[in-house]
Each structure stands twice: as C-alpha cells, then as structure tokens.
Amino acid sequence: MTVTSGPIGIFDSGVGGLTVLKALRERMPGEQYIYLGDTARLPYGTKTEDTVRRYALNAAAHLNRHQVKLLVVACNTASSFALNEVAAASPVPVVGVVQPGVRAALVTDAKRIGVIGTEGTIRSAAYQESLAQLGPAVEVRAVPCPLFVPLAEEGWGDHPVTDQVARHYLTPLLEWRAGALILACTHYPLLRTSLRRVVGPDVHLVDSASAVADTVASEHAELVDTSHGKEGDVHIQLTDASDRFLRIATAILGHKPDHIEVVDI
Ligand code: DGL
C-alpha cells in the first residue's frame, strides 16, 4: 500500500544534508520534514563500506519508525555504499543523491567531469559507474578530498586555508580541463566561495541538492505536495547535540532551527 501522509524523512551523517532539506523545502514548502543527522557517528566518509551500510540501515529504520512516506538519503557516502540495501529494507520509496547529481552534471554538456567526494564515496565508484551508464561519452576523473569536511564544519567556506587545500586537490582536475565538478558530498556546497575562486568562472560546480528536490517532486508526484501554501513543520533529530551543528545549521537554513531533539537510534 502506498503511504501518502506523513513527513518526508531525510538523513545525513551530520549537518551538510540540510542543504538538501533546504532545496526540498523550497520546492515543496507545504510538506512536513523529519531530518536525522547522525552526528554521534560522523564522519561516514572515512569508514568502511560495512560500517556505513550498518549506520545507513539504522538511520533508515529509525525514520521508518516515524512513519515517513518517503526517504531521502542525503549523505553521499551512504547513498554510494548503501542505497540499494536501504531501499530493499524500507517500506517507502527511497531517493539517493548519486543519480540526481549525475543527471545535473550531464545537462551542463561538459565532456570531462570531475567527481569530488569523501574517500568512501570515491572508493565505492558509485558516481563513476552512474556516469558511465548515463553519459557513456563523458570522461570522468574522481578525487577524494578528505580535508574538505572538517573545513566546512569549521565554517571556512570562504577562507585562504580552504583555497590552498582546494588548489592542492583540484589542480590535477583543472589541468585535465574538467568542464564540470560534481560536489559529491553534502558538505562541499558550504565551501562554494573558496571553490569558485580556485576553479575560476568557467567550471560548472554541480551540487545535487536541487536535483534531488526535482527528482522527488517529479518521480514521486503522487506522494508530495508542491503547492506553495502554508509551510510544513521541520523536525530535526541528532544523535549527538553540538553547538557546531547549530552554528552551521543556522548558516545553511538562514535561521536558527527549532525543534531539535537528541535521539538514540
Ligand atoms: N555526509 C557525508 C557525505 O555526503 C560527508 C560527511 C561525512 O563524512 O560523514 O559523504
């Protein structure tokens, strides 16, 4: 039976998935949302496939217990390692970030696409395989950028240290003349100012948040309300409370989030 009521569930390892929540809310403001940030176990990006899979299944089971009608796996590492398993274990439709991000990169018409993400995301080859399938004529290079997550968490999205680190990671992709870079990590859009400075004006920086919102609205139109009436509630749950979460969440959402609850999943 299709569930048409209940909130949309979103999960990420931490704060970065709020960029996806924000895009979903812009597209479907009347929906109710429940966001789970697994801050106690962050980062996922440096962990093994088995561990990320276990965490992702845990998080999905938790949200399913809250009667969500659709689940968005906003974490790129979890989407890359565990989307199929989460979908198989969930009674509701599950949307990941890999395919929407790949489709958004392909519409730029870039012939050379760079993928940057956590060590886990790049090692999983999920983006590389999806690009090979959906854009077989495109050349792809994938580079892990492990220092980007702590820089984003530090709020250094526009900072000389981030510029320097970005130059280190991205110079090979720029020398190879990448036309688009997929920001295959929830945190990387938070570094956009520094990244733009380093890559210059001509490289497309593709962030999957709005592509995910489009996917949910178009592929699950029967489940969601896209009308722009009264705003639905947003409930944020974290596995560990932190001031850092609040600070970055406020910067992403443009206001201090209300209804934050600490949960044990
Ligand atoms: N949410 C993770 C991702 O998108 C980044 C942070 C982490 O490593 O947990 O891959």
Side-chain angles (χ1 to χ4, degrees):
M1 197 184 68
T2 311
V3 185
T4 53
S5 61
I8 294 177
I10 305 162
F11 83 84
D12 181 35
S13 52
V15 70
L18 289 176
T19 54
V20 176
L21 170 69
K22 188 173 183 214
L24 288 164
R25 278 199 98 201
E26 278 164 11
R27 194 83 165 70
M28 291 156 283
E31 287 292 342
Q32 298 194 39
Y33 295 92
I34 172 164
Y35 179 95
L36 174 66
D38 194 5
T39 40
R41 302 192 286 194
L42 174 104
Y44 280 17
T46 52
K47 305 222 160 60
T48 62
E49 178 168 358
D50 281 353
T51 300
V52 172
R53 201 167 274 161
R54 184 157 46 85
Y55 288 177
L57 285 167
N58 247 204
H62 172 82
L63 288 171
N64 279 316
R65 282 195 294 276
H66 281 76
Q67 318 292 335
V68 296
K69 62 178 174 184
L70 183 134
L71 199 56
V72 176
V73 183
C75 176
N76 286 259
T77 311
S79 270
S80 298
F81 276 140
L83 188 69
N84 291 341
E85 288 78 1
V86 169
S90 293
V92 296
V94 176
V95 175
V97 287
V98 177
Q99 274 215 5
V102 163
R103 284 203 217 104
L106 291 173
V107 297
T108 66
D109 265 342
K111 299 291 170 259
R112 290 183 169 177
I113 297 182
V115 181
I116 56 174
T118 64
E119 289 162 299
T121 294
I122 302 304
R123 192 170 69 245
S124 78
Y127 275 89
Q128 297 92 311
E129 284 164 14
S130 181
L131 280 160
Q133 200 187 351
L134 300 176
V138 159
E139 287 180 67
V140 179
R141 283 197 189 171
V143 176
C145 304
L147 290 176
F148 279 177
V149 167
L151 288 168
E153 295 261 321
E154 199 55 39
W156 285 8
D158 178 5
H159 195 282
V161 170
T162 305
D163 291 13
Q164 200 178 347
V165 173
R167 236 174 263 120
H168 172 82
Y169 288 138
L170 304 183
T171 296
L173 291 173
L174 296 174
E175 286 177 353
W176 174 66
R177 301 205 169 282
L181 278 189
I182 302 182
L183 309 184
C185 175
T186 48
H187 284 59
Y188 297 1
L190 306 175
L191 304 178
R192 190 175 272 275
T193 305
S194 271
L195 295 181
R196 175 55 72 205
R197 220 173 3 247
V198 169
V199 302
D202 298 330
V203 177
H204 295 277
L205 292 177
V206 178
D207 135 26
S208 52
S210 55
V212 170
D214 289 343
T215 301
V216 170
S218 60
E219 291 182 11
H220 300 285
E222 75 293 354
L223 282 183
V224 297
D225 174 13
T226 50
S227 64
H228 282 237
K230 186 174 170 294
E231 289 201 343
D233 289 341
V234 177
H235 191 116
I236 296 182
Q237 296 188 329
L238 303 177
T239 50
D240 185 38
S242 75
D243 290 346
R244 173 179 285 244
F245 182 96
L246 204 59
R247 181 166 42 82
I248 308 167
T250 305
I252 296 175
L253 299 174
H255 59 85
K256 219 171 164 181
D258 21 51
H259 310 302
I260 293 192
E261 186 189 354
V262 177
V263 292
D264 183 1
I265 64 171

